Amino acid sequence: MHYLKWLYPGMRLKRWLLLFSVGVITASIGLAIMFDDKYAGMLEENIFRVVYLATGKYYYAVTAIAGVILLGVGFFVMAVATRRIIHSVIGVLIPEGPDKLVEIIFQKRKLNRGPAVVVVGGGTGLSVLLRSIKTVTNNITAIVTVADDGGSSGRIRQDFGMIPPGDLRSCLVALADTEPLMEKLFQHRFGGAGDLAGHSFGNLFIAAMTEILGDVELALKESSKVLAVRGQVLPSSTEIVRLSAEMEDGTIVEGESSIPLSGKAIKRVFIRPENPPAVVSALESIRDADACILGPGSLYTSVLPNLLVGGIADALRQTQAVKIYICNVMTQPGETDGYTASRHVKAIFDHVGPGIIDYVLVNVQEVAPQLQEVYSLRGAYQVVPDIKEIEELGVRAVKANLISETNLVRHDPLKLSRTIISMIYELKANSERMRLLDYYLIAEHIKEQKN
């Protein structure tokens, strides 16, 4: 019965139902005292008289039976009244009915107690991960790259002098708990050949909110209310930055959208201006997180631009959170041609130094041969999970089957979120056991010193 869902653990309703019952009983006792015991005695005498007239005998247990019946009737009336009150309120606030309300309350209570997760990145990979993570926790912060300079985002960046909103919009939609029509609206791109052609409505909405409020962080916060976003979406910096790459042959390629098209091997990427200040809320989220996740997404154009923002890499080094890098499943033409999993990690360390990754989540599921053939025509190949080389970099590798069985080779959101959340809880439990062991050893050492 769906009514039993009201009694699920964590609903925080049982205590109030109990308190309601205690209140009724207390009021009943008060009424009995106020009207004197003689009325209760008169009722008891009448019950005895009715039973005697009906049976010709006295049954002294009859008052106890009558009391139990009256108590049952009282509780039944209370339950019916409470049910009708709840239905009356639900009918106005939630037309879908009480089942929907139960699910909302249960989900909110459960998800609000979930781990605090910070996800750093950009592009499609970040939004895919956010869609799955939001099913297990509401405590999510997405820290998003602001180096995009192509498409609608690039045009808005140039025309309005603001950070590109494209990846921010995608993350807002991914974390949204709203109607499908609203999601379609934010993702809608205008057609035609006019000035609006190619623009995303969501990008224009964020740009308009930023102009009205004068602050992009506040604009994102207010946009989150419109979309009923779980968690928060933050830019890594509010400075307008430009991503550039130095190639192995020494040439410099300007612009995030131009780097993969150069056809040359990347030596390093950098941003101008150097070390732009990070958003304070982003640094605080990293500090307070249970887990910080890098990726999945383009190594040089989605993940690293965030780490090059002043303060982000240092915050990751200093946090007590579990730090997980999700390695891409396939190499990316123009960025990571020929890269193994360990080479992805090494590239990050070469740019910002060690200490920002504890674990690397590596896919070991074999890509179907027909899909390998299709991707090879585009110059993309499955990333080799070279576990030994990863661990030689001082990072632990976690192997898992992570890809979805479709016509595209991508991380499966459900597999990915389950693996990450299980890692977080397991590592937190181990950390707690180690902390208790440390306390025990310290206490034993103090005891020995006293002796």
Side-chain angles (χ1 to χ4, degrees), residues 6 86-105:
W6 290 100
I86 291 173
H87 271 266
S88 297
V89 174
I90 292 173
V92 175
L93 299 180
I94 304 179
E96 293 92 337
D99 286 350
K100 180 66 174 178
L101 177 62
V102 174
E103 291 301 325
I104 290 173
I105 294 175

Side-chain angles (χ1 to χ4, degrees), residues 101-415:
L101 177 62
V102 174
E103 291 301 325
I104 290 173
I105 294 175
F106 183 63
Q107 287 293 325
K108 292 291 184 183
R109 297 296 190 197
K110 183 184 76 170
L111 297 179
N112 285 340
R113 294 197 302 270
V117 179
V118 172
V119 185
V120 182
T124 305
L126 180 59
S127 57
V128 168
L129 177 60
L130 292 175
R131 286 181 187 277
S132 57
I133 290 291
K134 77 175 182 181
T135 62
V136 290
T137 181
N138 277 343
N139 302 311
I140 311 169
T141 299
I143 300 176
V144 186
T145 179
V146 292
D148 188 9
D149 63 356
S152 172
S153 287
R155 291 162 60 189
I156 289 175
R157 167 183 166 144
Q158 183 175 353
D159 294 343
F160 296 96
M162 61 174 287
I163 61 174
D167 286 346
L168 296 166
R169 180 204 79 241
S170 296
C171 291
L172 285 173
V173 172
L175 289 175
D177 188 14
T178 188
E179 294 296 327
L181 182 59
M182 184 64 74
E183 179 177 343
K184 289 180 180 179
L185 178 63
F186 262 69
Q187 296 288 52
H188 174 73
R189 289 190 182 274
F190 293 96
D195 291 339
L196 286 178
H199 270 304
S200 161
F201 172 81
N203 288 354
L204 296 174
F205 182 89
I206 294 172
M209 289 287 279
T210 302
E211 281 203 343
I212 291 169
L213 299 172
D215 181 85
V216 68
E217 283 187 74
L218 187 56
L220 290 170
K221 185 176 181 180
E222 295 303 316
S223 300
S224 297
K225 293 178 182 178
V226 173
L227 291 169
V229 166
R230 301 182 189 179
Q232 60 179 341
V233 177
L234 300 171
S236 54
S237 176
T238 55
E239 292 283 322
I240 300 175
V241 302
R242 187 168 182 80
L243 183 69
S244 302
E246 179 186 356
M247 301 302 177
E248 290 289 355
D249 63 0
T251 59
I252 303 295
V253 177
E254 300 279 349
E256 180 266 343
S257 59
S258 301
I259 292 172
L261 304 177
S262 68
K264 300 177 181 180
I266 300 171
K267 181 178 181 181
R268 69 181 182 101
V269 291
F270 56 94
I271 56 176
R272 293 280 188 264
E274 290 187 16
N275 297 314
V279 170
V280 174
S281 300
L283 299 179
E284 291 174 348
S285 297
I286 293 173
R287 181 195 64 198
D288 299 334
D290 293 312
C292 294
I293 302 170
L294 305 179
S298 302
L299 174 63
Y300 287 106
T301 54
S302 291
V303 176
L304 276 169
N306 291 297
L307 302 179
L308 296 174
V309 171
I312 296 289
D314 288 337
L316 286 167
R317 266 186 281 270
Q318 294 165 11
T319 184
Q320 297 300 307
V322 177
K323 291 163 282 191
I324 304 169
Y325 172 59
I326 303 174
C327 188
N328 289 342
V329 175
M330 305 294 289
T331 61
Q332 193 165 0
E335 282 200 42
T336 56
D337 298 292
Y339 274 38
T340 62
S342 65
R343 194 169 173 187
H344 282 75
V345 178
K346 188 176 184 301
I348 294 174
F349 288 172
D350 287 344
H351 280 77
V352 295
I356 64 169
I357 299 174
D358 298 324
Y359 297 86
V360 179
L361 187 54
V362 184
N363 172 65
V364 293
Q365 182 179 342
E366 190 72 20
V367 176
Q370 62 271 25
L371 285 175
Q372 290 190 39
E373 185 176 345
V374 171
Y375 271 78
S376 66
L377 298 175
R378 310 174 192 170
Y381 301 89
Q382 184 168 4
V383 173
V384 177
D386 50 344
I387 306 301
K388 181 181 178 182
E389 287 77 5
I390 290 173
E391 297 188 339
E392 285 176 354
L393 295 171
V395 178
R396 292 191 62 183
V398 177
K399 299 180 289 184
N401 295 331
L402 296 173
I403 61 175
S404 59
E405 300 292 338
T406 65
N407 58 341
L408 293 174
V409 183
R410 290 180 178 174
H411 285 101
D412 181 277
L414 185 59
K415 292 179 182 178

Side-chain angles (χ1 to χ4, degrees), residues 53-74:
L53 291 174
T55 64
K57 295 181 180 179
Y58 285 110
Y59 292 98
Y60 293 100
V62 72
T63 54
I65 296 172
V68 170
I69 293 172
L70 289 173
L71 186 63
V73 170

Side-chain angles (χ1 to χ4, degrees), residues 29-36 39:
I29 294 172
L31 286 172
I33 293 172
M34 186 174 67
F35 287 109
D36 203 305
Y39 295 108

